[in-house]
Amino acid sequence: MSPIPNKRPRRLRVSEAIRSMVRETHLRPEDIISPMFVINGTDAVEPINSMPGVFRFSVDKAIVEAGKVYELGIPAVLLFGIPDHKDALGSSACDEKEAVQKATTAIKDRYPDLLVITDICLCEYTDHGHCGVVENGKILNDQTLDLLANIALSHARSGADIVAPSDMMDGRVAAIRSALDGGNYTGTAIMAYAVKYASAFYGPFRDAAGSTPQFGCRRSYQMDPANVREALWEAALDIEEAADIVMTKPALSYLDVTRAVRDAVNVPVATYNVSGEYAMIKAAVAQGWLDEEKVVLEALLSMKRAGADMIITYHAKDAARWLQR
Ligand code: PBG
């Protein structure tokens, strides 16, 4: 007979009451940010094939969707605009009559307490699909900064609470901060996609936003998935440039990166549970191979456990609903 153990971790697992008492990590609707794709026109709700349950909304419909998000106790939406016209410099990105600007104003008007975060990038607005100005097949850094700053200013003017640059150009947080301050938008915060990897998990998003690069790839500006020291440098630079929140992206294959960033910085950390991560779960659930509620809540909890203070996820509304039960 082996000796009976005197140390028994199972003592604290015996009932839900005791498990919940010793639980180390919690997921709440307040931790969640809901991404939304907005388009021009009216009365439009377009499904996205590779992202079941996610839609492109015209502004009038986006207001309704924002209301549902708000009612579920989710504090923020993250808006992505899809324009009708694209050109080499992404000119429509600064147009006050474009979908994102109009949706921002309309949502703030109807739901002033719901935070509106806007994506700052060129790729949805450029005909070549890159996140910067292109010359001779190269993505130019410094020539892109003014454009990004102008987009941020235009979003701030429309009422955005937080702007979120996702382009990965060097120095863009400083450029955006200085433009916002110059325009007297000192209170508009910056959530920087500080640590954004060149990931194949963005595939479905590019379908949704029509932002697939027409040549080459994004590896000259987005990070190499092999690197984590570089992530700390990126985060440090963005904070030095006055980022208020730093983000890691994608989430699931990069939980170690989120932990490393969380341990290294003192600002809030967000992580982006991206389109491909969403599509994988949805596909398996559609086959009947996974329990959607359980796997989604487990995946989101893992991001909190890795140190994320907030999670951007297409599961937002479902998760908030499940958490309320
Ligand atoms: C734009 C942008 C992308 C995502 C967020 N902002 C696409 C990309 O960099 O190619 C991806 C989001 C997702 O996959 O859910 N630069």
Side-chain angles (χ1 to χ4, degrees):
M1 249 308 254
S2 15
I4 71 155
N6 65 354
K7 300 194 175 73
R8 293 177 183 267
R10 289 185 57 190
R11 284 184 196 117
L12 302 187
R13 290 181 203 143
V14 72
S15 66
E16 181 48 29
I18 200 158
R19 287 192 296 269
S20 76
M21 191 171 73
V22 301
R23 190 158 293 140
E24 299 172 34
T25 312
H26 299 273
L27 179 67
R28 315 164 304 160
E30 299 95 296
D31 303 324
I32 296 174
I33 297 169
S34 185
M36 276 173 66
F37 298 99
V38 294
I39 54 178
N40 294 304
T42 51
D43 200 27
V45 177
E46 299 177 358
I48 298 156
N49 239 345
S50 49
M51 301 175 74
V54 180
F55 302 88
R56 301 186 197 90
F57 296 104
S58 54
V59 175
D60 53 328
K61 297 291 186 186
I63 301 168
V64 178
E65 174 71 7
K68 293 183 189 164
V69 168
Y70 180 67
E71 295 305 329
L72 284 164
I74 296 166
V77 290
L78 169 59
L79 301 186
F80 293 92
I82 302 156
D84 293 332
H85 302 289
K86 304 186 187 229
D87 62 26
L89 294 177
S91 327
S92 51
C94 292
D95 188 338
E96 320 271 298
K97 289 191 214 60
E98 268 297 331
V100 163
Q101 282 85 347
K102 280 172 43 184
T104 299
T105 307
I107 292 170
K108 287 309 290 183
D109 194 44
R110 183 80 180 72
Y111 300 101
D113 295 333
L114 180 67
L115 297 168
V116 173
I117 310 172
T118 58
D119 183 76
I120 307 294
C121 198
L122 285 169
C123 65
E124 296 97 339
Y125 297 90
T126 50
D127 48 14
H128 46 69
H130 276 289
C131 307
V133 175
V134 172
E135 204 177 274
N136 300 326
K138 294 228 166 16
I139 289 77
L140 304 183
N141 193 87
D142 302 6
Q143 288 81 338
T144 303
L145 298 181
D146 278 349
L147 302 186
L148 295 168
N150 287 338
I151 302 174
L153 203 48
S154 149
H155 291 187
R157 238 179 252 128
S158 306
D161 299 285
I162 303 177
V163 293
S166 67
D167 52 282
M168 290 299 278
M169 298 300 125
D170 295 330
R172 92 280 205 205
V173 173
I176 289 171
R177 186 71 269 160
S178 128
L180 290 174
D181 292 351
N184 239 343
Y185 294 102
T186 53
T188 307
I190 300 176
M191 174 192 272
Y193 288 67
V195 180
K196 180 176 179 183
Y197 288 92
S199 171
F201 285 104
Y202 306 150
F205 174 96
R206 293 179 190 172
D207 292 343
S211 64
T212 307
Q214 296 305 298
F215 68 90
C217 62
R218 301 208 203 286
R219 281 192 221 138
S220 76
Y221 43 107
Q222 299 181 348
M223 281 180 54
D224 184 336
N227 294 356
V228 61
R229 286 194 304 261
E230 188 185 350
L232 302 183
W233 193 40
E234 279 283 7
L237 284 174
D238 281 5
I239 292 167
E240 223 173 275
E241 293 177 33
D244 299 283
I245 299 170
V246 292
M247 190 201 299
T248 59
K249 178 186 175 188
L252 271 182
S253 298
Y254 298 84
L255 295 171
D256 58 323
V257 178
T258 298
R259 168 49 59 196
V261 170
R262 172 66 291 163
D263 289 345
V265 308
N266 289 317
V267 299
V269 174
T271 194
Y272 199 140
N273 177 214
V274 301
S275 58
E277 299 173 332
Y278 176 83
M280 284 196 300
I281 287 183
K282 282 297 203 184
V285 166
Q287 295 284 334
W289 293 340
L290 288 175
D291 177 324
E292 183 171 17
E293 173 172 342
K294 291 203 171 87
V295 286
V296 167
L297 293 180
E298 184 176 333
L300 297 180
L301 186 69
S302 76
M303 297 165 205
K304 290 282 318 261
R305 199 183 61 238
D309 300 290
M310 61 203 94
I311 301 166
I312 300 153
T313 180
Y314 302 99
H315 300 289
K317 279 191 300 168
D318 285 336
R321 223 174 275 124
W322 294 323
L323 289 170
Q324 272 164 1
R325 266 194 247 130

